[in-house]
Amino acid sequence: MTSHTSPVAPTRGRLSPLGIGDAHLTDGVWAAWQRDNAATSLPHAQKWMERDGSLDAFRRLHPGADDLGERRSIWFSDSDIYKVLEGASWELARDSDDRAAVQEQVDALIALVAAAQAEDGYVNTYVQAGLGQRFENLQMSHEMYCMGHLIQAAVAHHRATGGDALLAVAVRAADHLVAEFGEGRRPESDGHQEIEMALVELYRTTGTRAYLDLARQFIDGRGVGIFVEEPGSPVDGVYLQDDVPLRQRERILGHAVRAMYYLAGAIDVAVETDDTELLAAVQRISDSVTSEQLYLTGALGSRQHMEALGEPHELPQDVGYGETCATIGYMGVAWRLLLATGEARYADLFERGLYNLFAASTSLDRTGFFYSNPGQRRRALPAAPVDDRPDRAEAPGTRPAWFWCACCPPNVIRTVASLGAYAMTSDAHGIQVQQFFPGEYTIHTDAGSVRLGVQTRYPDDGVIEITVLESPAAPWKLSVRRPGWVRHAEVTTNGQIAGLQAIVEGDAVSLTAEFAAGDRMVVAFEVEPRWTVGHPAADAVRGTVALERGPVVYALESVDQNPGIDLESIVVDADAPVTEVDIAIGDVGVRALRAQGRRVDGRAWAGFPWADRADAESATGEDPVDLTFIPYALWANRGPSTMRVHVPVLSR
């Protein structure tokens, strides 16, 4: 049974999601991040949207507005407002301690947006200010992209509060798009995909079939050259995913975020229209992304140029892009595929992105953000400016407070606010625990409501304790996802279900019973360090290893190493023991890993970046050096540094 407070609320599919209002994260890093999201990140975003002109862009359209000078924000900054508004709305569903302040922020933003909308439903502050023409430059104008985020914010606000004020704005905007682009009218769509999944969610909310039909039209109409390529422009059909129809694709290239939003919208359309061919195409493409274009950290987009996905196994570490929004987009694809198919491997992919690149995107104080996320930093770059907003192409030495193109920080904010919805799913047989967040959850099943309590220190350890707090008097199945990295799992039970045997098989640990309050199932996954090697076709990481523990990818950061250790001149001994130690980064306790390595004598390469093989093989020192690995997510929180995830391995 789909909850009305889910960010993604399909009317059909193998699994149904949990509602945000039914998930209460109580402990651990994600609960703390949610609290900081409401108390710190939302006010921080409001300050910067005021400062960068995004809010003024709306005010200048209000009747009687004073002269606010030239526009200061990027041409699609409307989307930043909408994403912050969506995140704030989900905070209202979560009923945070900062509810009053969040409510005030939400009400003010809704009023700002509603007053700027044209009578026919169109809204775009750049075009309405006379700086462009309606729908005349769709491949770059982001008009429907912005409207898509408006619609998603409105759906979030309606689902979280029951209010219709912003939903009415979104419906007028969507009706305008149907009138302009509906069947038999203009064949174009937006150069930056997003409107497709927004229209489907609006259909799910209102029942208006025209929104679903238009989303399908946008999905199926792309890939046949709907955009005119301008001579000399790098914006071509590949960049816009307009070179091959989606149903005919084996893989996808071009702008990484657009590609992920494209796939997410296609899944939504496929699910709502029972289009098995379209769903199979997305699964095929998603599998190619996972096997050929995905970084170990969950990063996507190997090219800074055009923020693009690279060719298969093109995975440079130091110049790889890894835009935060691309990983958030892929997490959205993985989540939708999980709901549509029930295959747990998609929850594994969601987890990889969440604990690594997504977690790395934001500073521990929740006021700094990475737009791009490299896997290696060869030299310590200057710290980000404190009082300015840089561009986006290269991550500076620390996380900037905001960006000229500020798409990523609001995307992080709305994802954190809605995180509880991704913890569990349900179907006709029972409940599936997908992500392991300490908290209390209410799942509405056909037999009645189930309340579960989850206690865990995951991923520090693999023990997940699930207690039944309330259950209908009917048997149902409780399943716990078994992550793909798990080699060994143990299950214990107590209470009235003590005599029943849990089943550990494949990708789940499950138990079917007529549960009663107080029943408990404890699942213990063995969590220990492991060395990982890349695909042999990935030239950038051939001859290296990376260290993982549970779902967490680790990295070397220079500030943790003994003096004199250069991360560019060491090899790691993957046969030596790896030990676990607890350290602190700021106020956060961290499970670090210690391994052994050797220094490499660079004299064999004196004068040239190559050397005789025999000289090179004898350049490794004999004395071991201690190396300290920390979770990749926590690097760059202690000032500028060098860092690497993949480390050359000692050859014997």
Side-chain angles (χ1 to χ4, degrees), residues 194-414:
E194 209 285 339
I195 186 64
E196 298 85 355
M197 51 184 167
L199 285 170
V200 176
E201 221 58 61
L202 188 61
Y203 157 73
R204 290 166 172 167
T205 301
T206 66
T208 303
R209 177 75 189 198
Y211 305 148
L212 176 61
D213 292 341
L214 185 58
R216 184 186 184 110
Q217 176 183 315
F218 287 154
I219 293 294
D220 284 339
R222 202 180 200 93
V224 295
I226 59 174
F227 298 107
V228 178
E229 295 187 19
E230 298 179 5
S233 172
V235 178
D236 59 11
V238 175
Y239 173 85
L240 297 166
Q241 289 93 38
D242 189 32
D243 54 326
V244 180
L246 188 64
R247 296 172 190 270
Q248 298 174 20
R249 285 185 176 275
E250 297 298 325
R251 59 173 53 91
I252 198 162
L253 297 172
H255 190 272
V257 180
R258 298 173 196 233
M260 295 306 106
Y261 288 0
Y262 187 21
L263 296 180
I267 298 166
D268 289 337
V269 168
V271 166
E272 295 303 328
T273 60
D274 286 326
D275 191 333
T276 56
E277 178 194 49
L278 181 59
L279 183 61
V282 175
Q283 285 190 273
R284 181 175 66 246
I285 298 164
S286 174
D287 287 348
S288 78
V289 170
T290 302
S291 62
E292 300 174 339
Q293 296 168 306
L294 186 68
Y295 283 84
L296 185 67
T297 59
L300 273 176
S302 57
R303 298 179 181 178
Q304 290 189 11
H305 180 64
M306 305 303 287
E307 303 181 319
L309 295 161
E311 295 291 342
H313 307 297
E314 180 191 339
L315 299 170
Q317 297 296 305
D318 46 352
V319 296
Y321 201 57
E323 183 180 340
T324 298
C325 287
T327 292
I328 292 174
Y330 191 54
M331 289 165 61
V333 170
W335 178 248
R336 286 167 169 82
L337 287 176
L338 172 68
L339 296 179
T341 69
E343 296 181 25
R345 62 192 176 107
Y346 296 120
D348 285 356
L349 292 172
F350 185 97
E351 179 182 72
R352 178 169 294 278
L354 180 67
Y355 281 92
N356 297 294
L357 188 133
F358 180 84
S361 70
T362 309
S363 61
L364 287 173
D365 66 6
R366 308 310 178 199
T367 63
F369 306 88
F370 273 149
Y371 188 111
S372 57
N373 296 268
Q376 184 174 359
R377 175 54 51 81
R378 293 182 183 273
R379 63 180 178 88
L381 297 180
V386 175
D387 232 19
D388 196 8
R389 50 189 181 126
D391 197 359
R392 52 192 172 176
E394 184 177 65
T398 54
R399 294 165 179 82
W402 209 246
F403 296 89
W404 173 74
C405 174
C407 57
C408 294
N411 229 353
V412 171
I413 288 170
R414 68 175 183 149

Side-chain angles (χ1 to χ4, degrees), residues 296-297 352 356 485 527-533 545-555 578 593 629 645:
L296 185 67
T297 59
R352 178 169 294 278
N356 297 294
W485 52 264
V527 180
E528 57 184 17
R530 64 189 185 278
W531 293 107
T532 303
V533 297
V545 292
L547 193 55
E548 296 184 90
R549 183 182 181 277
V552 178
V553 175
Y554 278 70
V578 177
L593 302 177
F629 290 75
V645 171

Side-chain angles (χ1 to χ4, degrees), residues 35-332:
R35 291 191 293 270
D36 291 342
N37 199 48
T40 302
S41 297
L42 277 173
H44 175 83
Q46 187 79 15
K47 179 189 77 173
W48 275 97
M49 292 188 304
E50 190 71 71
R51 183 171 177 174
D52 73 6
S54 297
L55 296 171
D56 277 354
F58 280 91
R59 294 188 184 113
R60 70 178 62 246
L61 302 180
H62 293 184
D66 295 330
D67 183 11
L68 299 172
E70 293 185 1
R71 182 186 174 100
R72 291 174 286 131
S73 59
I74 199 168
W75 73 92
F76 51 89
S77 65
D78 294 6
S79 61
D80 299 337
I81 303 286
Y82 301 145
K83 281 185 279 188
V84 169
L85 186 47
E86 180 185 346
S89 295
W90 291 134
E91 285 293 343
L92 294 178
R94 204 177 60 80
D95 198 18
S96 70
D97 293 338
D98 297 274
R99 183 182 180 86
V102 174
Q103 184 70 65
E104 182 179 354
Q105 182 181 22
V106 166
D107 291 344
L109 290 177
I110 291 176
L112 193 71
V113 172
Q117 188 173 35
E119 289 186 6
D120 64 357
Y122 181 87
V123 57
N124 182 279
T125 63
Y126 188 83
V127 172
Q128 288 173 272
L131 300 173
Q133 298 296 320
R134 287 191 187 189
F135 307 128
E136 289 301 312
N137 184 23
L138 278 170
Q139 64 187 35
M140 290 303 293
S141 70
H142 291 60
E143 288 163 90
M144 284 193 265
Y145 168 82
C146 289
M147 288 189 189
H149 279 301
L150 165 63
I151 291 169
Q152 288 192 305
V155 168
H157 181 259
H158 178 71
R159 290 177 180 171
T161 69
D164 291 334
L166 190 58
L167 187 66
V169 175
V171 165
R172 287 196 295 272
D175 288 345
H176 180 74
L177 292 179
V178 171
E180 288 284 329
F181 295 92
E183 186 177 1
R185 299 177 180 89
R186 297 176 60 167
E188 306 103 314
S189 60
D190 199 278
H192 196 311
Q193 299 93 318
E194 209 285 339
I195 186 64
E196 298 85 355
M197 51 184 167
L199 285 170
V200 176
E201 221 58 61
L202 188 61
Y203 157 73
R204 290 166 172 167
T205 301
T206 66
T208 303
R209 177 75 189 198
Y211 305 148
L212 176 61
D213 292 341
L214 185 58
R216 184 186 184 110
Q217 176 183 315
F218 287 154
I219 293 294
D220 284 339
R222 202 180 200 93
V224 295
I226 59 174
F227 298 107
V228 178
E229 295 187 19
E230 298 179 5
S233 172
V235 178
D236 59 11
V238 175
Y239 173 85
L240 297 166
Q241 289 93 38
D242 189 32
D243 54 326
V244 180
L246 188 64
R247 296 172 190 270
Q248 298 174 20
R249 285 185 176 275
E250 297 298 325
R251 59 173 53 91
I252 198 162
L253 297 172
H255 190 272
V257 180
R258 298 173 196 233
M260 295 306 106
Y261 288 0
Y262 187 21
L263 296 180
I267 298 166
D268 289 337
V269 168
V271 166
E272 295 303 328
T273 60
D274 286 326
D275 191 333
T276 56
E277 178 194 49
L278 181 59
L279 183 61
V282 175
Q283 285 190 273
R284 181 175 66 246
I285 298 164
S286 174
D287 287 348
S288 78
V289 170
T290 302
S291 62
E292 300 174 339
Q293 296 168 306
L294 186 68
Y295 283 84
L296 185 67
T297 59
L300 273 176
S302 57
R303 298 179 181 178
Q304 290 189 11
H305 180 64
M306 305 303 287
E307 303 181 319
L309 295 161
E311 295 291 342
H313 307 297
E314 180 191 339
L315 299 170
Q317 297 296 305
D318 46 352
V319 296
Y321 201 57
E323 183 180 340
T324 298
C325 287
T327 292
I328 292 174
Y330 191 54
M331 289 165 61

